[in-house]
Amino acid sequence: MAENTTGAAQGGKEQKPAGNPITIHTQYIKDLSFENPNAPESVALQQQPKINIDVDVEARTTQDQKLHEVTVKINVKADVADKVAFIAELQYGAVVTLNVADEHRLPVLLIEVPRMLFPYVRKIISDLTADGGFPPLMMQQIDFADLFRKKFAKQMDGQPAGNA
């Protein structure tokens, strides 16, 4: 007689789901903005601008519970002396399907998917600043695991941290 066993019944170890853990169905720019409020003087600046980059990641599950949207938000502000050189804002999204255990869903959505999207985000920001008349801004790799830990700590303090 054949026996159908799963998970804990097979030696106490839970089986990993078969297939790719992450499937990216589509990637897209949700929102893109570039401001050069002090042009043409700002593009002729001889000083190195002070650049501030803010990063956030959000995830949500669609109504049918099968697809997830992950959005990487980048806000860049460059200042020289007391003037704004440029402001760049990008929201870059992806629709994904996950094939992971439920306890790994949130870390995969907020760490692994953004890590996969980051090369595209970096290229868009680089091209945007270059097209705006400035040297291309080459962002360093972002530690999405650290961002996740910080966001999770905020959630534990009672502040919202995404709705994935």
Side-chain angles (χ1 to χ4, degrees):
M1 180 169 164
E3 195 174 345
N4 190 3
T5 59
T6 59
Q10 294 180 355
K13 291 186 179 180
E14 190 169 325
Q15 297 292 318
K16 289 184 180 180
N20 291 332
I22 302 168
T23 301
I24 297 178
H25 298 286
T26 188
Q27 296 177 215
Y28 47 90
I29 294 173
K30 285 185 76 163
D31 189 24
L32 180 62
S33 172
F34 185 84
E35 298 175 36
N36 191 348
N38 293 303
E41 290 82 7
S42 60
V43 294
L45 295 172
Q46 300 298 318
Q47 295 178 329
Q48 182 74 17
K50 178 185 173 207
I51 297 176
N52 182 43
I53 301 174
D54 291 321
V55 179
D56 192 19
V57 178
E58 293 180 351
R60 70 177 187 89
T61 303
T62 61
Q63 290 180 349
D64 65 7
Q65 301 292 312
K66 293 179 184 174
L67 299 174
H68 306 278
E69 179 189 44
V70 176
T71 305
V72 177
K73 297 180 177 184
I74 306 287
N75 293 312
V76 180
K77 184 178 180 189
D79 294 308
V80 174
D82 62 342
K83 296 206 181 234
V84 174
F86 67 84
I87 300 169
E89 299 172 344
L90 171 64
Q91 290 184 27
Y92 192 76
V95 174
V96 302
T97 301
L98 299 183
N99 187 19
V100 298
D102 285 345
E103 65 267 16
H104 300 298
R105 185 176 64 138
L106 196 57
V108 169
L109 287 171
L110 296 179
I111 299 170
E112 296 306 321
V113 174
R115 192 175 292 158
M116 295 168 75
L117 298 179
F118 183 72
Y120 302 98
V121 169
R122 178 182 6 222
K123 173 89 168 90
I124 293 167
I125 292 292
S126 173
D127 289 349
L128 187 62
T129 55
D131 291 346
F134 297 92
L137 176 60
M138 294 304 298
M139 295 173 39
Q140 296 299 314
Q141 183 65 42
I142 295 170
D143 185 351
F144 289 105
D146 186 53
L147 282 175
F148 177 77
R149 282 189 291 274
K150 289 176 181 175
K151 187 172 261 206
F152 188 72
K154 286 182 182 179
Q155 185 180 26
M156 296 305 284
D157 291 339
Q159 296 178 16
N163 63 350

PDB file of all heavy atoms in Angstrom, residues 57-77:
ATOM      1  N   VAL A  57      11.678  50.397   0.679  1.00  0.00           N
ATOM      2  CA  VAL A  57      11.128  49.275  -0.068  1.00  0.00           C
ATOM      3  C   VAL A  57       9.749  48.978   0.504  1.00  0.00           C
ATOM      4  O   VAL A  57       9.571  48.930   1.722  1.00  0.00           O
ATOM      5  CB  VAL A  57      12.012  48.013   0.049  1.00  0.00           C
ATOM      6  CG1 VAL A  57      11.389  46.852  -0.695  1.00  0.00           C
ATOM      7  CG2 VAL A  57      13.408  48.286  -0.470  1.00  0.00           C
ATOM      8  N   GLU A  58       8.793  48.779  -0.384  1.00  0.00           N
ATOM      9  CA  GLU A  58       7.443  48.402   0.027  1.00  0.00           C
ATOM     10  C   GLU A  58       7.011  47.170  -0.749  1.00  0.00           C
ATOM     11  O   GLU A  58       7.452  46.962  -1.884  1.00  0.00           O
ATOM     12  CB  GLU A  58       6.453  49.539  -0.237  1.00  0.00           C
ATOM     13  CG  GLU A  58       6.693  50.755   0.615  1.00  0.00           C
ATOM     14  CD  GLU A  58       5.691  51.864   0.340  1.00  0.00           C
ATOM     15  OE1 GLU A  58       4.902  51.749  -0.634  1.00  0.00           O
ATOM     16  OE2 GLU A  58       5.699  52.857   1.081  1.00  0.00           O
ATOM     17  N   ALA A  59       6.161  46.385  -0.123  1.00  0.00           N
ATOM     18  CA  ALA A  59       5.599  45.214  -0.798  1.00  0.00           C
ATOM     19  C   ALA A  59       4.133  45.099  -0.436  1.00  0.00           C
ATOM     20  O   ALA A  59       3.742  45.434   0.681  1.00  0.00           O
ATOM     21  CB  ALA A  59       6.355  43.954  -0.390  1.00  0.00           C
ATOM     22  N   ARG A  60       3.365  44.640  -1.390  1.00  0.00           N
ATOM     23  CA  ARG A  60       1.947  44.384  -1.126  1.00  0.00           C
ATOM     24  C   ARG A  60       1.519  43.164  -1.918  1.00  0.00           C
ATOM     25  O   ARG A  60       2.100  42.846  -2.955  1.00  0.00           O
ATOM     26  CB  ARG A  60       1.079  45.590  -1.469  1.00  0.00           C
ATOM     27  CG  ARG A  60       0.955  45.878  -2.935  1.00  0.00           C
ATOM     28  CD  ARG A  60       0.013  47.054  -3.211  1.00  0.00           C
ATOM     29  NE  ARG A  60      -0.212  47.181  -4.638  1.00  0.00           N
ATOM     30  CZ  ARG A  60      -1.171  46.554  -5.310  1.00  0.00           C
ATOM     31  NH1 ARG A  60      -2.015  45.766  -4.693  1.00  0.00           N
ATOM     32  NH2 ARG A  60      -1.304  46.712  -6.615  1.00  0.00           N
ATOM     33  N   THR A  61       0.516  42.499  -1.415  1.00  0.00           N
ATOM     34  CA  THR A  61      -0.033  41.331  -2.074  1.00  0.00           C
ATOM     35  C   THR A  61      -1.293  41.749  -2.817  1.00  0.00           C
ATOM     36  O   THR A  61      -2.099  42.518  -2.296  1.00  0.00           O
ATOM     37  CB  THR A  61      -0.367  40.239  -1.032  1.00  0.00           C
ATOM     38  OG1 THR A  61       0.829  39.948  -0.303  1.00  0.00           O
ATOM     39  CG2 THR A  61      -0.883  38.983  -1.690  1.00  0.00           C
ATOM     40  N   THR A  62      -1.460  41.257  -4.038  1.00  0.00           N
ATOM     41  CA  THR A  62      -2.643  41.609  -4.819  1.00  0.00           C
ATOM     42  C   THR A  62      -3.877  40.948  -4.215  1.00  0.00           C
ATOM     43  O   THR A  62      -3.781  40.059  -3.366  1.00  0.00           O
ATOM     44  CB  THR A  62      -2.484  41.175  -6.292  1.00  0.00           C
ATOM     45  OG1 THR A  62      -2.321  39.754  -6.333  1.00  0.00           O
ATOM     46  CG2 THR A  62      -1.302  41.869  -6.932  1.00  0.00           C
ATOM     47  N   GLN A  63      -5.036  41.359  -4.672  1.00  0.00           N
ATOM     48  CA  GLN A  63      -6.290  40.861  -4.115  1.00  0.00           C
ATOM     49  C   GLN A  63      -6.458  39.355  -4.272  1.00  0.00           C
ATOM     50  O   GLN A  63      -7.063  38.711  -3.437  1.00  0.00           O
ATOM     51  CB  GLN A  63      -7.478  41.591  -4.746  1.00  0.00           C
ATOM     52  CG  GLN A  63      -7.562  43.028  -4.294  1.00  0.00           C
ATOM     53  CD  GLN A  63      -8.730  43.760  -4.916  1.00  0.00           C
ATOM     54  OE1 GLN A  63      -9.365  43.276  -5.842  1.00  0.00           O
ATOM     55  NE2 GLN A  63      -9.022  44.944  -4.399  1.00  0.00           N
ATOM     56  N   ASP A  64      -5.922  38.795  -5.343  1.00  0.00           N
ATOM     57  CA  ASP A  64      -6.078  37.354  -5.545  1.00  0.00           C
ATOM     58  C   ASP A  64      -5.071  36.527  -4.741  1.00  0.00           C
ATOM     59  O   ASP A  64      -5.085  35.304  -4.803  1.00  0.00           O
ATOM     60  CB  ASP A  64      -6.013  36.986  -7.028  1.00  0.00           C
ATOM     61  CG  ASP A  64      -4.647  37.254  -7.648  1.00  0.00           C
ATOM     62  OD1 ASP A  64      -3.698  37.605  -6.917  1.00  0.00           O
ATOM     63  OD2 ASP A  64      -4.528  37.112  -8.870  1.00  0.00           O
ATOM     64  N   GLN A  65      -4.184  37.207  -3.997  1.00  0.00           N
ATOM     65  CA  GLN A  65      -3.215  36.567  -3.093  1.00  0.00           C
ATOM     66  C   GLN A  65      -2.134  35.751  -3.799  1.00  0.00           C
ATOM     67  O   GLN A  65      -1.367  35.068  -3.148  1.00  0.00           O
ATOM     68  CB  GLN A  65      -3.925  35.681  -2.061  1.00  0.00           C
ATOM     69  CG  GLN A  65      -4.923  36.408  -1.185  1.00  0.00           C
ATOM     70  CD  GLN A  65      -4.262  37.386  -0.245  1.00  0.00           C
ATOM     71  OE1 GLN A  65      -3.299  37.058   0.411  1.00  0.00           O
ATOM     72  NE2 GLN A  65      -4.792  38.598  -0.182  1.00  0.00           N
ATOM     73  N   LYS A  66      -2.047  35.823  -5.118  1.00  0.00           N
ATOM     74  CA  LYS A  66      -1.047  35.035  -5.841  1.00  0.00           C
ATOM     75  C   LYS A  66       0.148  35.874  -6.273  1.00  0.00           C
ATOM     76  O   LYS A  66       1.248  35.363  -6.387  1.00  0.00           O
ATOM     77  CB  LYS A  66      -1.681  34.374  -7.071  1.00  0.00           C
ATOM     78  CG  LYS A  66      -2.705  33.323  -6.714  1.00  0.00           C
ATOM     79  CD  LYS A  66      -3.319  32.723  -7.940  1.00  0.00           C
ATOM     80  CE  LYS A  66      -4.402  31.736  -7.539  1.00  0.00           C
ATOM     81  NZ  LYS A  66      -5.128  31.219  -8.677  1.00  0.00           N
ATOM     82  N   LEU A  67      -0.086  37.134  -6.543  1.00  0.00           N
ATOM     83  CA  LEU A  67       0.970  38.019  -7.020  1.00  0.00           C
ATOM     84  C   LEU A  67       1.332  39.032  -5.946  1.00  0.00           C
ATOM     85  O   LEU A  67       0.494  39.423  -5.133  1.00  0.00           O
ATOM     86  CB  LEU A  67       0.520  38.757  -8.285  1.00  0.00           C
ATOM     87  CG  LEU A  67       0.180  37.894  -9.490  1.00  0.00           C
ATOM     88  CD1 LEU A  67      -0.382  38.759 -10.612  1.00  0.00           C
ATOM     89  CD2 LEU A  67       1.392  37.128  -9.967  1.00  0.00           C
ATOM     90  N   HIS A  68       2.597  39.464  -5.982  1.00  0.00           N
ATOM     91  CA  HIS A  68       3.079  40.464  -5.043  1.00  0.00           C
ATOM     92  C   HIS A  68       3.709  41.595  -5.843  1.00  0.00           C
ATOM     93  O   HIS A  68       4.410  41.348  -6.834  1.00  0.00           O
ATOM     94  CB  HIS A  68       4.127  39.862  -4.106  1.00  0.00           C
ATOM     95  CG  HIS A  68       3.659  38.645  -3.395  1.00  0.00           C
ATOM     96  ND1 HIS A  68       2.892  38.698  -2.255  1.00  0.00           N
ATOM     97  CD2 HIS A  68       3.832  37.338  -3.675  1.00  0.00           C
ATOM     98  CE1 HIS A  68       2.630  37.471  -1.851  1.00  0.00           C
ATOM     99  NE2 HIS A  68       3.181  36.621  -2.704  1.00  0.00           N
ATOM    100  N   GLU A  69       3.468  42.820  -5.398  1.00  0.00           N
ATOM    101  CA  GLU A  69       4.132  43.977  -5.989  1.00  0.00           C
ATOM    102  C   GLU A  69       5.188  44.464  -5.005  1.00  0.00           C
ATOM    103  O   GLU A  69       4.908  44.671  -3.833  1.00  0.00           O
ATOM    104  CB  GLU A  69       3.151  45.110  -6.274  1.00  0.00           C
ATOM    105  CG  GLU A  69       3.851  46.322  -6.870  1.00  0.00           C
ATOM    106  CD  GLU A  69       2.969  47.538  -6.974  1.00  0.00           C
ATOM    107  OE1 GLU A  69       2.233  47.842  -6.010  1.00  0.00           O
ATOM    108  OE2 GLU A  69       3.037  48.216  -8.014  1.00  0.00           O
ATOM    109  N   VAL A  70       6.411  44.634  -5.505  1.00  0.00           N
ATOM    110  CA  VAL A  70       7.513  45.166  -4.712  1.00  0.00           C
ATOM    111  C   VAL A  70       7.927  46.477  -5.362  1.00  0.00           C
ATOM    112  O   VAL A  70       8.108  46.545  -6.579  1.00  0.00           O
ATOM    113  CB  VAL A  70       8.705  44.189  -4.668  1.00  0.00           C
ATOM    114  CG1 VAL A  70       9.885  44.797  -3.918  1.00  0.00           C
ATOM    115  CG2 VAL A  70       8.287  42.869  -4.040  1.00  0.00           C
ATOM    116  N   THR A  71       8.067  47.540  -4.539  1.00  0.00           N
ATOM    117  CA  THR A  71       8.457  48.850  -5.046  1.00  0.00           C
ATOM    118  C   THR A  71       9.693  49.330  -4.304  1.00  0.00           C
ATOM    119  O   THR A  71       9.702  49.379  -3.069  1.00  0.00           O
ATOM    120  CB  THR A  71       7.319  49.874  -4.866  1.00  0.00           C
ATOM    121  OG1 THR A  71       6.137  49.373  -5.488  1.00  0.00           O
ATOM    122  CG2 THR A  71       7.690  51.210  -5.486  1.00  0.00           C
ATOM    123  N   VAL A  72      10.731  49.673  -5.065  1.00  0.00           N
ATOM    124  CA  VAL A  72      11.941  50.283  -4.511  1.00  0.00           C
ATOM    125  C   VAL A  72      11.820  51.780  -4.755  1.00  0.00           C
ATOM    126  O   VAL A  72      11.633  52.213  -5.894  1.00  0.00           O
ATOM    127  CB  VAL A  72      13.215  49.731  -5.184  1.00  0.00           C
ATOM    128  CG1 VAL A  72      14.461  50.423  -4.637  1.00  0.00           C
ATOM    129  CG2 VAL A  72      13.310  48.225  -5.013  1.00  0.00           C
ATOM    130  N   LYS A  73      11.920  52.554  -3.664  1.00  0.00           N
ATOM    131  CA  LYS A  73      11.807  54.011  -3.760  1.00  0.00           C
ATOM    132  C   LYS A  73      13.160  54.636  -3.460  1.00  0.00           C
ATOM    133  O   LYS A  73      13.757  54.368  -2.429  1.00  0.00           O
ATOM    134  CB  LYS A  73      10.775  54.530  -2.762  1.00  0.00           C
ATOM    135  CG  LYS A  73       9.376  54.024  -3.023  1.00  0.00           C
ATOM    136  CD  LYS A  73       8.412  54.571  -1.997  1.00  0.00           C
ATOM    137  CE  LYS A  73       6.993  54.132  -2.286  1.00  0.00           C
ATOM    138  NZ  LYS A  73       6.043  54.744  -1.341  1.00  0.00           N
ATOM    139  N   ILE A  74      13.615  55.484  -4.382  1.00  0.00           N
ATOM    140  CA  ILE A  74      14.884  56.173  -4.245  1.00  0.00           C
ATOM    141  C   ILE A  74      14.624  57.669  -4.354  1.00  0.00           C
ATOM    142  O   ILE A  74      14.005  58.122  -5.321  1.00  0.00           O
ATOM    143  CB  ILE A  74      15.884  55.767  -5.361  1.00  0.00           C
ATOM    144  CG1 ILE A  74      16.069  54.249  -5.413  1.00  0.00           C
ATOM    145  CG2 ILE A  74      17.198  56.515  -5.212  1.00  0.00           C
ATOM    146  CD1 ILE A  74      16.874  53.660  -4.305  1.00  0.00           C
ATOM    147  N   ASN A  75      15.082  58.423  -3.368  1.00  0.00           N
ATOM    148  CA  ASN A  75      15.014  59.883  -3.401  1.00  0.00           C
ATOM    149  C   ASN A  75      16.436  60.415  -3.246  1.00  0.00           C
ATOM    150  O   ASN A  75      17.100  60.125  -2.254  1.00  0.00           O
ATOM    151  CB  ASN A  75      14.133  60.440  -2.281  1.00  0.00           C
ATOM    152  CG  ASN A  75      12.680  60.066  -2.463  1.00  0.00           C
ATOM    153  OD1 ASN A  75      12.147  60.221  -3.552  1.00  0.00           O
ATOM    154  ND2 ASN A  75      12.056  59.569  -1.423  1.00  0.00           N
ATOM    155  N   VAL A  76      16.885  61.190  -4.234  1.00  0.00           N
ATOM    156  CA  VAL A  76      18.232  61.747  -4.230  1.00  0.00           C
ATOM    157  C   VAL A  76      18.127  63.262  -4.240  1.00  0.00           C
ATOM    158  O   VAL A  76      17.386  63.827  -5.047  1.00  0.00           O
ATOM    159  CB  VAL A  76      19.038  61.288  -5.476  1.00  0.00           C
ATOM    160  CG1 VAL A  76      20.437  61.870  -5.445  1.00  0.00           C
ATOM    161  CG2 VAL A  76      19.072  59.781  -5.578  1.00  0.00           C
ATOM    162  N   LYS A  77      18.877  63.887  -3.335  1.00  0.00           N
ATOM    163  CA  LYS A  77      18.947  65.351  -3.324  1.00  0.00           C
ATOM    164  C   LYS A  77      20.421  65.737  -3.291  1.00  0.00           C
ATOM    165  O   LYS A  77      21.172  65.265  -2.442  1.00  0.00           O
ATOM    166  CB  LYS A  77      18.226  65.943  -2.115  1.00  0.00           C
ATOM    167  CG  LYS A  77      18.203  67.454  -2.126  1.00  0.00           C
ATOM    168  CD  LYS A  77      17.435  68.017  -0.948  1.00  0.00           C
ATOM    169  CE  LYS A  77      17.454  69.534  -1.008  1.00  0.00           C
ATOM    170  NZ  LYS A  77      16.916  70.109   0.227  1.00  0.00           N
TER     171      LYS A  77
END
